[in-house]
Amino acid sequence: MSSNVIIRRYRDADQDVVVDLWSRAVRLAHPFIEGEGGGERARILREVYLVRAENWVAERAGTVIGLLGLLPDGGIGGPFVAPEAQGDGVGRQLVEHAAARYGALTLEVFEGNARARRFSTHLGFTERGRRVDEETGHPLLVLERAAPLKSVSWLHVREGRLLSVRTRGKDTFYLPGGKYEPGESAREALSRELSEELGLDVPAGTLTEAFVIHDVAHGQNGRRLHMTCFTGGPQDVVPVPGREIAEYAWFDRREARERCAPAHSQVVDRLVAQGRMPG
């Protein structure tokens, strides 16, 4: 799975392995393009895209298995994932990395690449237009995705149960936290939200980033969510619902899946894997 994958900047020393994985990936994805993965197209990759774009690679156990190119306007090239690593979430991780850096994204995929079309739809891309690729003569779909909704949340577990909150007028529970305000860091935003929502004094300096969750934002018409989760702060808290919070509750794994927003499932799975919640 992609949990043991790191994403880092492309280095010149990566060129041969990157070109090889790109070549194998595009041959598999584009059997309708004669000579795909070699010749002039490989030369352009080496001499143009790997030089001019902001390139990132996915690496697992010291081996580069994915490539993504970024342009300042939010356009992305790829992701290209080595065939043996496909299906493990590496491509999704690269795309979400791009979204974290640039927000809104645009992507082009060949109409004949059914797998890429399914992948992009799953990640929230929608068709904006079409054009014919001048080099190959094959139609390309121009896709776009809005910037993800960025939020912060607090992971507070007591006796194997996860603290969750429900806002007034809604049935679904969420993690304590919320959106950033202009100029705030993630820790500052969470410290403020915990004070406003639950009357808790959790200094920003006591919070430690745990992980980031990417999912579909609940009730946001398919918009993606980029949620940074933190641990830390006082353990023996007595929440006092404030602002728009109707109630709080402590949920086990089953209750969290049944009563909480979709991103909770990923959070709970991570906490179970870390031994912080019972399976």
Side-chain angles (χ1 to χ4, degrees):
M1 299 299 291
S2 61
S3 59
N4 58 350
V5 169
I6 64 169
I7 296 178
R8 62 165 175 80
R9 287 270 193 171
Y10 165 83
R11 300 190 287 258
D12 289 344
D14 299 320
Q15 184 181 107
D16 289 344
V17 69
V18 159
V19 172
D20 175 68
L21 78 82
W22 166 84
S23 177
R24 291 185 292 121
V26 296
R27 284 172 181 163
L28 183 64
H30 308 148
F32 46 84
I33 297 179
E34 184 177 355
E36 179 63 305
E40 180 66 8
R41 289 172 70 80
R43 184 193 68 79
I44 293 173
L45 175 70
R46 287 181 183 272
E47 299 180 8
V48 179
Y49 294 120
L50 292 181
V51 174
R52 298 181 184 177
E54 176 190 321
N55 294 294
W56 295 80
V57 299
E59 184 179 85
R60 181 165 57 200
T63 299
V64 174
I65 56 174
L67 169 69
L68 184 78
L70 301 179
L71 299 174
D73 62 359
I76 62 177
F80 304 105
V81 179
E84 63 273 14
Q86 293 180 10
D88 286 349
V90 177
R92 176 195 58 78
Q93 198 168 334
L94 283 164
V95 171
E96 298 300 353
H97 176 77
R101 290 184 61 78
Y102 287 103
L105 300 175
T106 59
L107 169 68
E108 292 186 332
V109 301
F110 282 104
E111 187 175 34
N113 188 349
R115 184 171 184 176
R117 291 168 60 187
R118 290 193 299 269
F119 170 80
S120 57
T121 299
H122 178 69
L123 289 186
F125 285 88
T126 57
E127 185 176 332
R128 185 181 72 185
R130 295 172 177 241
R131 71 179 184 88
V132 174
D133 180 48
E134 295 182 359
E135 185 178 351
T136 66
H138 288 274
L140 283 164
L141 305 182
V142 182
L143 310 175
E144 63 182 2
R145 194 182 87 169
L149 180 65
K150 297 186 70 174
S151 69
V152 289
S153 65
W154 193 38
L155 307 178
H156 193 73
V157 179
R158 178 181 294 175
E159 297 179 352
R161 303 173 75 88
L162 180 63
L163 178 63
S164 305
V165 298
R166 181 178 65 82
T167 56
R168 292 184 175 88
K170 295 185 179 180
D171 296 327
T172 303
F173 281 78
Y174 300 83
L175 291 172
K179 302 174 186 177
Y180 298 69
E181 288 189 353
E184 286 184 325
S185 69
R187 289 175 176 80
E188 291 168 344
L190 183 53
S191 177
R192 173 185 52 76
E193 287 283 347
L194 293 175
S195 175
E196 294 174 355
E197 290 185 349
L198 295 172
L200 300 178
D201 180 15
V202 182
T206 67
L207 295 167
T208 300
E209 183 175 333
F211 47 75
V212 176
I213 294 295
H214 302 286
D215 209 323
V216 177
H218 184 66
Q220 296 291 324
N221 297 317
R223 188 175 178 185
R224 301 293 297 184
L225 173 69
H226 179 281
M227 182 170 69
T228 306
C229 301
F230 290 85
T231 58
Q235 297 304 300
D236 296 326
V237 299
V238 180
V240 179
R243 209 173 61 175
E244 76 273 18
I245 301 302
E247 62 175 322
Y248 67 88
W250 303 84
F251 291 135
D252 62 19
R253 188 180 196 182
R254 178 186 60 80
E255 293 166 332
R257 288 184 178 276
E258 292 176 352
R259 304 191 62 184
C260 300
H264 258 65
S265 293
Q266 285 197 58
V267 170
V268 170
D269 288 345
R270 294 279 192 100
L271 294 175
V272 169
Q274 294 172 359
R276 299 192 60 202
M277 289 184 69

